[in-house]
Amino acid sequence: MVDLVSNPDDTQHNRVPARLRGAPWALVAVLLGAIVWLGWEAFGPRGYGDPVATSLAAFEKQNELTVFSAQLSPVVAAQDSRYFDLVQSRQVAVIPATVRYTLDMSRITAEDMAWDADTNSLSVTLPDLIVSAPNLDETRAQYLREGIWITREAQDDLTRQNSQLAQDLAMDAAKEPALMELARSAAREAVRGNLALPLQAAGFGDVQVNVGFSAAQSLTQ
């Protein structure tokens, strides 16, 4: 089971002679211009007029981007035998788990981008997604136990087995093609959104951003 989881103030003019009123605003304009220039120098894209440099600058401070998450509910069963198999018990568990899909932005370089001036489009090739280790929410787990007598030690062992099985099953489910494609689709949309606005603000107009993935297999954290 998968639950898929983005009163104006009145302006009052002081009665001041024009020659005195204009000077402060001129100073403010100069200061604002200096602030904008300094801000552009400090945080603006490197390589002015280069759409690839502008795009890389948009990714510069995003080491890792979470693009998708899935909530899974693996159903697992574990068995325990004690006292020469005279005492047997079984525990079925449903343990909710959350898996995150992220992009390692540090792996995207200029070689992964191509600008087509004729079509005003940017093509970006992404590394495949990183699938995080499932985060089990055992506080919301549901258990069904079978056995005439289940010792405390047996129950602890059954619970440990259930947790490990749920971890493995959730990871396998997270890598199913349907979920991976949903995560990749979300990643493509996120990257388009992260690049389209900076490129437009940099003066490149309405840029078409085409996003795809490399053939590398997905990584696991």
Side-chain angles (χ1 to χ4, degrees):
M1 173 182 177
V2 179
D3 300 323
L4 299 180
V5 201
S6 154
N7 300 325
D9 295 334
D10 293 334
T11 303
Q12 297 181 349
H13 296 282
N14 295 325
R15 296 183 179 274
V16 180
R19 64 181 183 276
L20 297 179
R21 193 165 58 236
W25 285 112
L27 180 59
V28 169
V30 171
L31 289 175
L32 284 176
I35 290 172
V36 170
W37 182 82
L38 289 173
W40 180 263
E41 285 295 312
F43 305 108
R46 282 63 173 167
Y48 308 119
D50 183 353
V52 171
T54 301
S55 302
L56 288 174
F59 289 155
E60 213 167 54
K61 295 186 179 181
Q62 300 183 56
N63 292 328
E64 185 179 87
L65 178 64
T66 298
V67 296
F68 189 75
S69 66
Q71 293 185 352
L72 310 171
S73 298
V75 180
V76 294
Q79 295 182 340
D80 181 82
S81 298
R82 294 175 186 271
Y83 306 112
F84 306 102
D85 293 337
L86 295 176
V87 178
Q88 298 189 15
S89 55
R90 182 171 181 266
Q91 180 171 272
V92 178
V94 181
I95 308 177
T98 301
V99 178
R100 295 183 302 110
Y101 300 79
T102 62
L103 274 173
D104 183 357
M105 309 301 282
S106 66
R107 296 177 61 197
I108 302 174
T109 66
E111 286 72 26
D112 299 314
M113 298 184 180
W115 173 252
D116 188 337
D118 294 333
T119 60
N120 204 44
S121 63
L122 178 72
S123 297
V124 183
T125 301
L126 301 177
D128 211 349
L129 297 175
I130 298 172
V131 183
S132 72
N135 182 20
L136 301 182
D137 187 357
E138 299 188 75
T139 61
R140 295 195 297 122
Q142 299 179 9
Y143 298 97
L144 174 63
R145 300 182 180 93
E146 300 174 355
I148 298 175
W149 178 40
I150 304 177
T151 66
R152 180 66 180 179
E153 292 79 9
Q155 183 174 322
D156 290 343
D157 187 53
L158 289 168
T159 299
R160 280 192 295 270
Q161 291 184 56
N162 284 150
S163 297
Q164 185 59 57
L165 290 169
Q167 189 92 2
D168 296 340
L169 189 59
M171 178 59 81
D172 290 341
K175 293 181 180 179
E176 286 291 327
L179 268 181
M180 289 299 300
E181 183 51 39
L182 283 173
R184 291 190 183 105
S185 179
R188 287 191 286 266
E189 289 300 317
V191 171
R192 285 192 193 102
N194 279 0
L195 292 182
L197 289 178
L199 287 169
Q200 188 174 8
F204 295 102
D206 189 10
V207 176
Q208 179 181 348
V209 181
N210 303 312
V211 184
F213 281 87
S214 67
Q217 295 182 350
S218 61
L219 305 173
T220 57
Q221 267 186 345

